[in-house]
Amino acid sequence: MKLGFLTACLPERDLTDIARWAARTGFEALEVAGWPSPDDRNHIRVDRFDEAECHRVRRIFAETGLTLSSIAYYENNLHPREGAQVNAHVRACVDAAAALGCPTVGTFVGRDPGLTVRDNLKLATDVFGPLVEYATARGVRIAIENCVMKSWHPDGYPGNLAYSPELWEWMFTLGLKLNYDPSHLVPLGIDPVAALRPYVANVAHVQAKDTEILPGAIDRYGCYGPISGEKGWYRFRVPGLGQVDWVRVIDALHEAGYDGTVSVEHEDPVWSGSTDRVQTGLGIAYRTLRPMIPG
């Protein structure tokens, strides 16, 4: 098992600088952001991936000794207007991953908010069937993060249909894999370890993010949060500063034989605002997880 982080938290930094800092700090892997321009989360330029870009990325990982665990592009593949464009970029991420020897591409299922859940699942079957076939032919797995993405629905309902074990089982029938993130299970009242244990064989990647429950806020908003659609009664933190029991989570992964990457996803509002603060937050996550993931 390797310990890494998702580069999207450092959009202002070049991939070379990020990789050198990661290696010096003791991280062993990077999950690299691959959004299209003009989004600044594009540490791999998937939208203009050519021999020069392939050589640049390969050189960075060769020089630092890091592992490229996944190419990250978390967008709505079922968007009613932009879905086809998102699907095309997922294919481009798969092509880049195959060229770089990267095993996974991370994305979301998404949702069309104008359709019922059942109709969305039918749509997703049609969309992801060809995407999985395309990726499999190139030796790449598509890993879906179990984020709820309430902000994608006008009323704050789940905007990414991958938030529960029931939906994971549906995804697996399509050949999709799970990018397991325990932080999203805590606000749903789901035990992250109990949810994980039956499905470790289908986990292709792990994201490490924590969840802090804000005292008293749920008594005002309820579990669905405020009418604005914001989270309201919880917030994401770096591992070690929330409610996730990382000893149990990592132990369950070890016990089941998971030997992939645990990638810190830094969305902590306390440790944000500058490169130094983000790196401090990543350092907190590193010191929390390193004892459980021997380097």
Side-chain angles (χ1 to χ4, degrees):
M1 199 183 300
K2 292 181 173 64
L3 180 56
F5 64 87
L6 171 57
T7 66
C9 61
L10 292 166
E12 73 284 356
R13 298 298 296 273
D14 177 83
L15 181 59
T16 299
D17 293 336
I18 293 172
R20 288 173 177 170
W21 179 86
R24 288 197 306 270
T25 303
F27 287 101
E28 298 142 327
L30 288 177
E31 178 187 5
V32 180
W35 274 260
S37 181
D39 197 305
D40 55 8
R41 296 169 296 176
N42 54 16
H43 293 118
I44 290 179
R45 294 308 307 268
V46 173
D47 52 353
R48 57 185 194 200
F49 193 82
D50 54 16
E51 288 188 15
E53 177 69 353
C54 185
H55 178 72
R56 180 186 75 91
V57 176
R58 282 183 174 274
R59 185 184 69 250
I60 291 169
F61 281 88
E63 289 177 352
T64 59
L66 298 173
T67 295
L68 174 56
S69 68
S70 188
I71 295 178
Y73 174 58
Y74 298 100
E75 290 292 348
N76 187 351
N77 277 278
L78 305 185
H79 194 283
R81 296 178 302 280
E82 301 170 8
Q85 182 178 345
V86 174
N87 304 158
H89 193 72
V90 170
R91 283 187 171 85
C93 288
V94 168
D95 290 338
L100 292 165
C102 176
T104 64
V105 167
T107 190
F108 289 140
V109 171
R111 177 178 186 168
D112 181 340
L115 299 178
T116 66
V117 171
R118 291 191 181 279
D119 285 343
N120 267 283
L121 296 184
K122 293 177 184 176
L123 173 62
T125 299
D126 294 338
V127 167
F128 279 98
L131 285 177
V132 170
E133 183 178 356
Y134 187 87
T136 301
R138 288 154 180 79
V140 176
R141 296 173 294 177
I142 297 178
I144 302 295
E145 184 190 347
N146 55 290
C147 181
V148 180
M149 292 306 297
K150 296 193 298 182
S151 62
W152 283 354
H153 193 284
D155 292 320
Y157 300 143
N160 174 37
L161 298 180
Y163 55 84
S164 68
E166 178 186 22
L167 289 164
W168 301 349
E169 291 178 357
W170 161 78
M171 293 189 329
F172 300 152
T173 65
L174 302 181
L176 293 165
K177 299 299 181 182
L178 178 63
N179 187 2
Y180 167 78
D181 184 338
S183 70
H184 301 299
L185 298 172
V186 173
L188 295 173
I190 297 175
D191 180 342
V193 177
L196 169 64
R197 287 191 184 279
Y199 304 108
V200 178
N202 287 293
V203 173
H205 200 259
V206 173
Q207 285 186 331
K209 186 164 75 262
D210 218 328
T211 303
E212 178 187 11
I213 304 301
L214 303 176
I218 195 170
D219 296 326
R220 172 172 173 76
Y221 299 122
C223 64
Y224 295 108
I227 58 175
S228 64
E230 297 299 317
K231 299 176 180 66
W233 57 275
Y234 65 92
R235 61 181 180 175
F236 294 127
R237 304 300 305 275
V238 293
L241 299 180
Q243 269 68 39
V244 174
D245 187 337
W246 291 102
V247 172
R248 292 180 63 231
V249 169
I250 301 300
D251 184 61
L253 291 168
H254 279 303
E255 183 179 2
Y258 175 78
D259 61 358
T261 294
V262 176
S263 176
V264 177
E265 184 183 18
H266 187 320
E267 293 182 350
D268 190 320
V270 176
W271 294 107
S272 295
S274 70
T275 297
D276 287 344
R277 291 189 68 81
V278 169
Q279 289 178 335
T280 298
L282 289 170
I284 294 170
Y286 179 88
R287 291 188 294 275
T288 298
L289 298 172
R290 181 85 286 170
M292 295 165 261
I293 307 173

